Amino acid sequence: MAADPLSLTLANLVLRPALGSRRDPERVFDRIVGKVGWEEGDEAFVEGFRSLLGEWAADEELSPVGWQSARAHVRRHLTNRARVRRLIAEHPAIALEPVERPVFVVGLPRTATTLTHGVLSLSDEHRCPRLWELLAPGLEPSPRQRQRAVTSARRTLDATYRLSPRFREIHPMTAEGPEECTFLLPHALVPLSQARLPEYHARQFERDFVPDYRHLKECFQVLQYGRPRRRWILKSPMHTGNLDALLEVFPDATLVWTHRDPATAVASFCSLVECGMALSRRTIDLPALGATWLDLLSRSVRRGLAARAGLPGGALVDVPYSWLGSDPATGAPKLYDAVGARWTEADAARLPTVSTHLRGSRPHRYDLARYGLTKADVDAAFADYNTLRAEVDRA
């Protein structure tokens, strides 16, 4: 439904010869590692991606485009890890860079997390990672290096949008715009939006995510080194299930938790995932997609609720959807005040550009029933969260 049939068919034809390598993912992985290399002590990090690529290859419905995406995902994470570790070895002062009082926007996806992130990124006192930086984090580039990185990010986006124009409508991105740090999290849920990975799914709730957040911090230290220090503004719904690990690494972080009816959020997100699946797999089992993401999102929120119970006062800001989703001009100053930031006339003047950038040219329509779900299913899975959300809405 979301893919461009002709563009996708042509892409799969072009990439079809490489699909045969899926039968030997070990060899493919070893070839990637041979080109990338790794620093001493990173064996566990590297081997985690070996098992992921092997499971990805085992998805019988994976398309040539899907296999290309799998290899690119693994290559990017291993390349970035090797670069970050090498830079820290060359410049030990990077490891001493303080990442002070960062703001993390969390919550269910499709709850105005992107809008909240964009609004908080307006201030000149804040620092938000741009997509081109997240795809290849490094030290301050020369103008020529920066342009190359931006051009590469644009090509990546353009390729996705050519294959799936509807994806641009649902989740517009730009190479130089603020983007979520999911791109840097080694073991986030992203692969599950592109392939059937039951073992990876199960491991999400068994994994110790502290090493992932240490890696995330190192990436920000690299991006901050030699540049003016400003307060980091970060965002990913994928953090919601890992708040304990996040706060162990970033103990002075402020969490901004956005809220919306989970029945709406789940339906909208399933629609977005369907876009990714349409590119990566030959067939999509829509009820299985709905069941997978209802489980992942509800369990993530339950873990987030458990973690927030022990947070100190002032560490968490609850943002109902109405704050920015309905009236950003009124909600933005309240948001800044809640996180201890200054809202200025310059920020107010920039606000319309954020709202306009995030609005597609046609409405995003979605329906729980398409994914084999009912509102009762979602309400039951999010019963504790709905109690909290009602309290937030009344406050």
Side-chain angles (χ1 to χ4, degrees), residues 107-124:
L108 280 169
R110 315 304 293 172
T111 58
T113 55
T114 301
L115 177 57
T116 304
H117 187 222
V119 168
L120 285 169
S121 301
L122 290 171
S123 173
D124 292 331

Side-chain angles (χ1 to χ4, degrees), residues 38 55 61 81 83-84 89 94 107 129 132 146 148 151 169 258 264 279 293 298 300 339 351-352 363 373-374:
W38 77 74
E55 189 181 0
E61 291 299 306
R81 176 66 173 180
R83 184 191 308 108
V84 166
I94 291 174
W132 67 270
R146 184 186 189 281
R148 270 205 306 265
T151 299
E169 296 284 336
T258 58
T264 302
L279 299 184
W293 285 97
S298 62
S300 292
V339 301
L351 181 60
L373 301 173
T374 66

Side-chain angles (χ1 to χ4, degrees), residues 321-335:
Y321 189 78
S322 59
W323 269 27
L324 296 175
S326 303
D327 186 7
T330 300
K334 290 165 60 178
L335 175 61

Side-chain angles (χ1 to χ4, degrees), residues 257-259 301 304-306 308-309 316 318 382-395:
W257 189 319
T258 58
H259 297 278
V301 165
L305 291 176
R308 67 178 273 152
L316 178 71
D318 286 308
F382 288 91
D384 291 341
Y385 171 69
N386 277 329
T387 299
L388 168 69
R389 190 172 61 86
E391 294 173 358
V392 169
D393 287 341
R394 284 195 299 268

Side-chain angles (χ1 to χ4, degrees), residues 359-395:
R359 193 178 302 122
S361 61
R362 57 183 172 137
H364 177 204
R365 304 194 186 283
Y366 39 83
D367 182 4
L368 277 174
R370 179 174 176 82
Y371 307 102
L373 301 173
T374 66
K375 189 173 189 310
D377 295 330
V378 179
D379 286 346
F382 288 91
D384 291 341
Y385 171 69
N386 277 329
T387 299
L388 168 69
R389 190 172 61 86
E391 294 173 358
V392 169
D393 287 341
R394 284 195 299 268

